Amino acid sequence: MFSSYLIFFSPLLYMVNEALARPQSYAVWAADSAIKRGQGNGLSSAGTPSASYEHGELQWGLRQLYERTGNKTYYDYIVTGASRIVTDAGVVQGGYKLADYSLDPVRTGPTFLYLYSQTQQTKWKTAATTYRNQLNGQPRTGEGQFWHKLRYFNQGWLDGIYMGDVFYAQYTKDFQPTNTTAWDDIAMQYTLIYKNTLQAAGAPNNIGLLYHGYDYSHTAVWASTDRGHSPEIWDRALGWYTMALVDVLEIFPTTNSGYKSILSILQALAPKIRDAADPTTGVWWLVMTQPGRAKNYFESSGSAMFVYSLLKGVRLGYIKDTDGSIVKAAKKAYNYMVANWVITNTDGTMNWINTVEVGSLSGNGTYDYYVSVGTVLNDLKGLAAFLLASLEYERL
């Protein structure tokens, strides 16, 4: 009889233990878990310095968490990670090569600017200026869009806006605030990618959102005949772009006409992102243009990015949510995320699941390509996005 009593109540005991294991702040839990695993610490998995955009994304979240909590652990972790890729002379190492003209490493630039603002150490400004000088020579399409990388001929990707243009804006604000040419150029990066990747009204599977990228030269195997855009809407690419929208609006001068252009894009996309969520779970499909299709699945990094962007946009007044439906949708998605994608470990850390490893336009850009890429446990692109989403959710 005693053993039956234990068996009967063991599920309840498990649920109690599970609840106790989860701290009040998922933002803190995500950050502490990443730090305990040594993620985003300026080193690659092989232990060599790495100028990684994933690290830059995490550092963006750690910076906000430090500002919210005052816990210097987060600030010190940023300093340690950034110091591994910037020498005392301000040289950017960690695999960075100017000749690649890749926008990806530039995502670590906001960290350099932040550390310069905190310390006034010249090395951080020198390192940031290295990236700013890269943008001066970055290859462009005939309209002026930055190529994502030199090896992607004439291609603009949504990802690249997050990687390069938030830094571009912060550098301009910090050191060249009256440089209207730079501000106009930044706004143009946002508007060109929007114009060239927005689904046309009569497009198949039209949800009014943005394709992953476009090829201005129309030479890529995936380029459409009209604007050269890729064939599918990949959730994380759109997630990078929406985060870049809400982040840059905090930096961009409101007196510049480009501010209204960027704001109008965010306001146009927000309700369409809300409406594209799965009605049952509230989260978003990996390939958003093909909901429910075989092999498609709910993907965690893009979903977290949308929650962050929608909640931050409403909080700062960029997105008008008169009926509360956007916040309601973001909360529903967030609750699904913590219930399904956050896993408690016995050492007190959390795992994050269902983040797709990569998405690229280096191949054919088809549906079959996107769904063929595997997911990675604790992939930092997703875990950092969850940290950011949690910061916004906890501000509600």
Side-chain angles (χ1 to χ4, degrees):
M1 185 174 181
F2 182 69
S3 61
S4 297
Y5 178 87
L6 286 178
I7 291 171
F8 179 78
F9 279 98
S10 60
L12 177 60
L13 290 171
Y14 172 80
M15 287 188 288
V16 170
N17 288 334
E18 176 78 358
L20 290 173
R22 297 195 171 201
Q24 288 185 328
S25 171
Y26 281 91
V28 168
W29 197 16
D32 290 353
S33 298
I35 289 172
K36 188 168 184 177
R37 286 190 289 264
Q39 293 182 272
N41 65 356
L43 299 175
S44 69
S45 58
T48 57
S50 176
S52 165
Y53 67 86
E54 298 180 29
H55 297 195
E57 181 193 5
L58 177 67
Q59 289 160 354
W60 188 263
L62 293 179
R63 165 185 168 180
Q64 294 182 53
L65 194 56
Y66 167 59
E67 291 168 351
R68 194 187 83 180
T69 65
N71 185 341
K72 199 165 180 289
T73 299
Y74 304 124
Y75 176 80
D76 291 343
Y77 198 76
I78 295 170
V79 174
T80 298
S83 296
R84 286 173 169 150
I85 62 170
V86 176
T87 71
D88 290 342
V91 176
V92 182
Q93 49 185 7
Y96 173 72
K97 296 178 181 177
L98 172 63
D100 292 341
Y101 283 102
S102 172
L103 293 176
D104 286 345
V106 178
R107 183 58 218 182
T108 58
T111 298
F112 305 163
L113 294 171
Y114 172 65
L115 292 179
Y116 180 71
S117 74
Q118 297 298 301
T119 68
Q120 295 299 297
Q121 287 182 289
T122 304
K123 71 173 187 176
W124 299 120
K125 182 178 180 181
T126 301
T129 301
T130 297
Y131 287 155
R132 180 61 184 86
N133 289 338
Q134 174 187 321
L135 297 181
N136 286 336
Q138 189 76 15
R140 296 171 180 255
T141 68
E143 291 181 304
Q145 184 90 64
F146 289 145
W147 296 9
H148 189 62
K149 298 181 183 180
L150 179 63
R151 66 191 180 97
Y152 296 136
F153 180 74
N154 261 302
Q155 293 180 22
W157 295 12
L158 294 176
D159 320 39
I161 304 298
Y162 184 79
M163 303 311 165
D165 291 301
V166 177
F167 163 77
Y168 191 0
Q170 189 66 58
Y171 189 97
T172 304
K173 180 179 180 180
D174 290 351
F175 304 121
Q176 304 169 352
T178 61
N179 186 343
T180 55
T181 300
W183 289 121
D184 292 347
D185 190 31
I186 294 162
M188 183 177 69
Q189 299 305 315
Y190 282 83
T191 56
L192 282 177
I193 199 82
Y194 180 75
K195 179 191 76 170
N196 285 299
T197 63
L198 179 65
Q199 282 186 297
N205 306 311
N206 182 42
I207 52 176
L209 292 172
L210 308 183
Y211 297 108
H212 188 168
Y214 72 102
D215 171 15
Y216 184 74
S217 67
H218 291 61
T219 56
V221 64
W222 43 258
S224 66
T225 55
D226 58 344
R227 290 161 290 151
H229 65 72
S230 58
E232 301 289 358
I233 294 177
W234 179 50
D235 71 324
R236 189 157 73 224
L238 185 59
W240 290 129
Y241 184 69
T242 55
M243 291 203 301
L245 287 168
V246 295
D247 289 345
V248 84
L249 284 169
E250 280 193 293
I251 303 166
F252 210 96
T254 57
T255 53
N256 184 289
S257 61
Y259 179 87
K260 289 185 178 179
S261 299
I262 296 170
L263 180 63
S264 67
I265 292 172
L266 176 63
Q267 292 175 340
L269 291 178
K272 294 174 183 176
I273 291 170
R274 174 200 62 199
D275 295 344
D278 175 67
T280 301
T281 64
V283 293
W284 289 267
W285 295 90
L286 173 78
V287 182
M288 298 173 70
T289 25
Q290 306 276 355
R293 183 173 169 181
K295 298 184 180 180
N296 205 358
Y297 59 90
F298 302 129
E299 200 277 326
S300 64
S301 66
S303 293
M305 290 172 181
F306 293 145
V307 170
Y308 169 74
S309 303
L310 293 175
L311 290 181
K312 182 174 180 178
V314 172
R315 175 174 63 84
L316 295 179
Y318 305 143
I319 298 170
K320 305 304 178 186
D321 189 29
T322 52
D323 62 356
S325 62
I326 289 177
V327 168
K328 182 180 179 181
K331 290 172 69 175
K332 180 177 180 179
Y334 186 82
N335 289 329
Y336 179 92
M337 292 194 295
V338 298
N340 292 274
W341 294 333
V342 175
I343 309 298
T344 304
N345 295 320
T346 56
D347 66 355
T349 62
M350 58 157 278
N351 281 341
W352 177 256
I353 64 173
N354 267 52
T355 294
V356 68
E357 181 177 14
V358 71
S360 174
L361 292 174
S362 60
N364 59 19
T366 63
Y367 174 85
D368 288 338
Y369 159 71
Y370 287 108
V371 298
S372 73
V373 180
T375 61
V376 176
L377 178 68
N378 293 321
D379 188 294
L380 197 55
K381 295 181 289 294
L383 182 62
F386 176 65
L387 164 58
L388 291 167
S390 296
L391 283 165
E392 287 300 327
Y393 185 86
E394 290 164 15
R395 285 186 171 108
L396 287 174

